[in-house]
Structures are given as structure tokens and as C-alpha cells.
Amino acid sequence: GSVQRRDLGQASAALALMRVLGQAGSMVLVTAVLNVHGLGGAPLGADPVGALAALKGCFALFSGLCVLGIFLSLARGSREEAA
């Protein structure tokens, strides 16, 4: 495994923390995009064109972050230790 048996609790807690921080950070970014498009206080059904523009912006932002993550992961290289 990736961690020793005695460290499984800490590894699980770190993984859960990173997952929750990622979810919260994503919601912050979505809220920011909605506010940029003027939909901060309005229901999404009130302005369907603005909602679609905001949705497009969210897709573009998160697609860019995914591509950045791919390149950073490739730049890191393999972490396997030589046997």
C-alpha cells in the first residue's frame, strides 16, 4: 500500500480533508463566476441567457484547471522507487 498500516488513520483523515477543501474551493469559484455574470442574488431561472453564460464560464475555468493539473502531474514524473 501507499502507507503503512499504523498510518492509515492519518492518511484517511488527510484524504478526507483534501476532498472537502477541494469541494469548498470549487463552490467558491462557481460563486465567483456567478457573481461576475450578475447572478449572485437572482434565481438562475430569472436570466437563462446569463445562467448559460455563467455555466460556460464554469466549464471553461474547470477545464483549464484540469489541463493545468495534467501538465503539473506529467512534469512531476514518476515517484516509483527503484527496487
Side-chain angles (χ1 to χ4, degrees), residues 5-22:
R5 187 179 274 301
R6 63 183 166 87
D7 294 329
L8 282 177
Q10 289 179 343
S12 175
L15 181 65
L17 175 66
M18 290 298 113
R19 181 175 47 247
V20 171
L21 287 176

Side-chain angles (χ1 to χ4, degrees), residues 34 39 42-49 51 54:
L34 289 175
L39 299 172
L44 289 179
D47 181 15
V49 174

Side-chain angles (χ1 to χ4, degrees), residues 29 33-34 40 52 67 81:
L29 292 175
V33 170
L34 289 175
L52 286 175
V67 169
E81 296 177 358

Side-chain angles (χ1 to χ4, degrees), residues 29 55-71:
L29 292 175
L55 186 62
K56 234 176 157 179
C58 287
F59 279 134
L61 173 65
F62 289 114
S63 295
L65 288 175
C66 286
V67 169
L68 175 66
I70 290 169
F71 283 118

